[in-house]
Amino acid sequence: MQHILFINTGGTISSSAEGQGLTPTQSAADIISAVPEVREICNIEAMTLMSVDSTNIQPEEWVTIARTVHEQLPKYDGIVIAHGTDTMAYTASALSFMLGALDKPVVITGSQVSVLAEYSDSRKNIKDAFRTASSELAGVFVVFNGKIINGARASKVKTKSYDAFESINHPYIGYLDEDHIVYNEIAPSVYPEGHVYNDQYSPDVFLLKLIPGMRPDIFDAVRNLGYKGIIVEGFGLGGVPFKEINLIDKIEELVQDGISIVVTTQCLYEGGDLTIYEVGQRALEKGVIPCYDMTTEALTTKMMWVLGQANSPAEVARMMATNYVDEITMPVI
């Protein structure tokens, strides 16, 4: 049997009703005790690293989790992390970049209902996560509602339903069918050499969703707050207005000041393409960075991670366009 480490960080799966609503109270050992059949899958050691509602998870906690996984993974065949669902996709993406190339599975799961509830989805998710962590897969994955999702492609799309997570612009890695995994056939990717553990990051990333009528001086406010990177969610394929209200010239000012600006789409599926319309091409001419089909969660965490290492805007642009963990699909030229 495989030897798996279970790390609890909190979230709904470990919550009970106390005080002002649900709050994490259950330890890693408590969760495993509530799903005793999971010990038939593998040998388990349990660790409670933190007990936090994932809404309160910040980049500092990503580093704490990443360092713990990096230190412990050599001792085990895989790791399962229990995490709140609200920011699970952000943590999964951050770990994907920070941990580097892996030869074992790191699986993140949680639930929409506490493990203490009779009809909780936690039991299935926990069992599925341990089966995945005991498999031959390598990398960071989100396992939820019977689906195995690349950690940098997961996104929470429902607030209450059990099928809360989807794989965005990328096939599911596989499915859990009773007691075995059904894998999808996915062409292997070529990753850059030298993607090793690195938990350096900069929190100075701002996400700006455009709306009709937004004033250009919003960019001055963001610059004055000291942000080093800005992610602009444009319209459609990534369009940015330039007529009656001209945001593109203001973006150019910030780019010339050394601030890295990425333009993406507000649409969940199919990604952006700044080369098709004038409202995209004008933005490209000003030096913005295209991000193609990355999720918002992968894009924000990747930019934080890149800004923690890059020494110039050119280096930021190069790293943002590099596919490290199948987080991005580059167009075929």
Side-chain angles (χ1 to χ4, degrees):
M1 296 177 75
Q2 300 290 77
H3 193 197
I4 307 298
L5 175 64
F6 178 53
I7 300 174
N8 179 35
T9 67
T12 296
I13 193 169
S14 66
S15 289
S16 60
E18 292 188 6
Q20 295 179 305
L22 288 171
T23 187
T25 59
Q26 303 299 297
S27 69
D30 292 333
I31 295 172
I32 295 301
S33 294
V35 196
E37 59 270 33
V38 77
R39 292 196 178 276
E40 300 174 5
I41 299 171
C42 55
N43 296 315
I44 301 170
E45 289 191 31
M47 169 195 298
T48 297
L49 184 62
M50 58 187 79
S51 293
V52 184
D53 185 306
S54 72
T55 295
N56 288 320
I57 292 281
Q58 301 298 325
E60 306 93 89
E61 279 75 43
W62 299 339
V63 173
T64 298
I65 298 169
R67 289 180 180 174
T68 302
V69 170
H70 181 64
E71 292 168 0
Q72 297 296 325
L73 192 55
K75 309 173 190 176
Y76 298 91
D77 297 303
I79 290 179
V80 171
I81 301 169
H83 193 287
T85 60
D86 289 348
T87 61
M88 182 185 293
Y90 286 95
T91 297
S93 291
L95 293 182
S96 297
F97 299 120
M98 290 180 175
L99 291 174
L102 297 176
D103 59 359
K104 299 175 183 178
V106 174
V107 180
I108 306 174
T109 195
S111 64
Q112 295 285 68
V113 180
S114 168
V115 73
L116 299 177
E118 182 177 359
Y119 297 105
S120 174
D121 56 331
S122 61
R123 295 174 182 83
K124 173 176 174 52
N125 289 344
I126 284 291
K127 288 185 286 187
D128 287 349
F130 275 98
R131 288 193 181 95
T132 305
S134 301
S135 73
E136 66 272 25
L137 287 172
V140 177
F141 306 96
V142 168
V143 169
F144 213 91
N145 194 49
K147 304 168 185 174
I148 304 173
I149 305 171
N150 178 312
R153 293 286 190 165
S155 189
K156 185 177 181 181
V157 298
K158 297 181 181 179
T159 59
K160 300 176 183 178
S161 301
Y162 287 176
D163 58 338
F165 285 84
E166 290 187 10
S167 181
I168 308 300
N169 300 321
H170 191 275
Y172 292 105
I173 303 302
Y175 302 84
L176 279 299
D177 183 12
E178 294 299 329
D179 60 351
H180 65 281
I181 299 173
V182 178
Y183 295 101
N184 276 329
E185 293 186 10
I186 301 173
S189 297
V190 178
Y191 303 126
E193 295 183 3
H195 183 202
V196 297
Y197 179 84
N198 189 325
D199 60 28
Q200 298 301 303
Y201 74 94
S202 169
D204 298 324
V205 172
F206 189 84
L207 175 64
L208 179 65
K209 182 172 185 174
L210 300 188
I211 61 170
M214 180 174 286
R215 301 200 315 263
D217 57 5
I218 187 67
F219 286 95
D220 294 320
V222 175
R223 171 173 50 190
N224 293 338
L225 288 170
Y227 284 95
K228 299 176 182 177
I230 302 174
I231 298 166
V232 176
E233 286 192 352
F235 303 112
L237 288 167
V240 179
F242 65 86
K243 285 200 169 181
E244 288 82 2
I245 290 181
N246 187 346
L247 300 185
I248 288 182
D249 284 353
K250 184 59 68 173
I251 286 174
E252 182 182 22
E253 287 182 25
L254 271 63
V255 170
Q256 291 178 346
D257 284 347
I259 297 173
S260 297
I261 299 183
V262 173
V263 174
T264 184
T265 173
Q266 297 178 15
C267 301
L268 189 60
Y269 291 102
E270 299 180 348
D273 187 343
L274 302 182
T275 67
I276 294 178
Y277 292 98
E278 183 181 9
V279 288
Q281 288 191 15
R282 282 176 175 258
L284 273 178
E285 290 170 357
K286 303 303 183 183
V288 304
I289 303 168
C291 73
Y292 307 105
D293 65 347
M294 278 189 278
T295 65
T296 296
E297 295 90 343
L299 185 52
T300 52
T301 55
K302 183 177 183 178
M303 197 168 198
M304 288 181 182
W305 180 71
V306 167
L307 287 172
Q309 303 167 61
N311 296 315
S312 68
E315 182 70 0
V316 171
R318 184 193 67 78
M319 293 182 71
M320 290 301 296
T322 300
N323 182 28
Y324 291 96
V325 288
D326 269 346
E327 78 280 6
I328 186 172
T329 306
M330 300 297 292
V332 178
I333 300 176

